[in-house]
Amino acid sequence: MTLNAILVEDEEQSRAILKNYLTKYCPKVNILGEAANVNEALELIRTLDLDLVFLDVEMPYGNAFDLLDKVGDRDFETVFVTAYNNYAMDALNAHASYYLMKPIDIDELIKAVDYVSEIKSKEDALQDQVLIPKTNTVAGKITIPQQDGFEVLNTKDILYCKADDNYTEIYLNNNKKKVVSKTLKYFEDALTPSGFARVHKSYLVNVGEVVKYIKGKGGSVVLSNGKEIMVSASKKSDLLSYFK
């Protein structure tokens, strides 16, 4: 499979070396862009459909972890490429797929790419198991995978979804919770046509279950079960548009 990737590295020579190695030894990597700092990287991440980001730790305008915090939910993998070994634990906590030390060992680079490719292949294998069914006869349904098949949920029974790294917790109106190995962005795309709104980087709510809005910079919403969820300032207008 092809992995769409960007290189985030402030040193031009280091970027050139990594790009050369990837071109020669990792043909499945399709390099879509390069960034020399956090701001440039953030712009690429927000505009490109990425599978993989090669990420240096220290760079202008913040470090790799600042960048990942600004990105929030992500559906791409990260491979750290750095001259410093003291960031390995932080990279692990940031759910990095691989940690490469400079100077880059070609065999390790190939292993990193193969590992990410395996992760993405497994995700693709599940892709068709978490869908809004396409036929009108099952409108208002969504399926979530299970070990022995899949479970069908009524979208109207979903109160809200909460991000948990690369997983999503789905909270139902019967006080039950489902955990699915998909990002919240995935469910945002799937459920928005069914009346769901992203109100925060970590929350997607069923607008039909909102019983109260509390004013504030972003404010908060109260759902029918009494759950109060913060609304980020950037999502406030989108939410309120449902009630105009």
Side-chain angles (χ1 to χ4, degrees):
M1 67 179 300
T2 299
L3 298 172
N4 290 328
I6 61 170
L7 315 182
V8 182
E9 163 68 68
D10 63 317
E11 296 180 2
E12 186 175 355
Q13 183 178 5
S14 295
R15 279 203 315 274
I17 291 171
L18 177 56
K19 185 175 183 178
N20 181 51
Y21 284 174
L22 289 170
T23 302
K24 282 187 175 180
Y25 303 106
C26 303
K28 66 180 67 176
V29 176
N30 179 30
I31 302 172
L32 298 182
E34 302 175 30
N37 57 57
V38 168
N39 294 339
E40 291 178 2
L42 196 58
E43 180 65 22
L44 289 176
I45 289 169
R46 286 173 173 170
T47 56
L48 298 174
D49 184 13
L50 298 174
D51 301 302
L52 174 59
V53 173
F54 290 91
L55 191 56
D56 188 17
V57 176
E58 296 188 351
M59 64 188 102
Y61 312 118
N63 62 28
F65 306 107
D66 296 325
L67 171 62
L68 295 178
D69 284 342
K70 290 180 179 180
V71 170
D73 296 327
R74 61 184 191 268
D75 53 9
F76 58 83
E77 302 300 319
T78 55
V79 171
F80 279 70
V81 186
T82 178
Y84 306 94
N85 60 14
N86 55 306
Y87 292 112
M89 184 58 68
D90 290 329
L92 181 64
N93 290 335
H95 305 283
S97 296
Y98 218 90
Y99 194 88
L100 292 173
M101 292 292 297
K102 298 176 183 176
I104 297 172
D105 180 280
I106 294 171
D107 288 338
E108 284 298 308
L109 177 62
I110 294 171
K111 284 182 183 178
V113 170
D114 286 345
Y115 182 68
V116 171
S117 182
E118 183 179 352
I119 292 173
K120 301 305 288 188
S121 293
K122 289 179 179 178
E123 288 180 356
D124 286 349
L126 290 173
Q127 190 79 7
D128 291 336
Q129 295 184 24
V130 190
L131 312 158
I132 294 292
K134 295 179 180 179
T135 62
N136 293 331
T137 56
V138 286
K141 308 281 187 179
I142 189 170
T143 65
I144 59 174
Q146 295 183 329
Q147 287 186 342
D148 58 350
F150 61 83
E151 181 177 1
V152 180
L153 301 179
N154 291 312
T155 55
K156 64 182 179 61
D157 293 336
I158 301 173
L159 292 174
Y160 66 96
C161 302
K162 179 182 178 183
D164 182 13
D165 294 324
N166 288 325
Y167 291 82
T168 296
E169 298 174 354
I170 300 175
Y171 290 83
L172 305 173
N173 56 17
N174 59 2
N175 294 320
K176 291 185 178 181
K177 178 178 76 172
K178 309 289 183 180
V179 180
V180 184
S181 178
K182 285 291 180 185
T183 65
L184 188 61
K185 178 63 168 62
Y186 187 91
F187 283 99
E188 179 183 8
D189 293 341
L191 290 172
T192 295
S194 298
F196 284 71
R198 185 74 171 265
V199 298
H200 187 277
K201 70 176 184 178
S202 298
Y203 288 96
L204 177 71
V205 303
N206 184 343
V207 178
E209 296 293 332
V210 173
V211 297
K212 185 178 182 180
Y213 172 75
I214 301 172
K215 290 182 178 179
K217 183 178 181 181
S220 62
V221 291
V222 179
L223 302 182
S224 59
N225 68 339
K227 171 71 175 179
E228 183 176 352
I229 295 175
M230 296 299 295
V231 178
S232 65
S234 62
K235 302 292 186 182
K236 180 178 179 179
S237 61
D238 291 341
L239 171 70
L240 295 183
S241 69
Y242 282 85
F243 300 96
K244 290 181 179 178

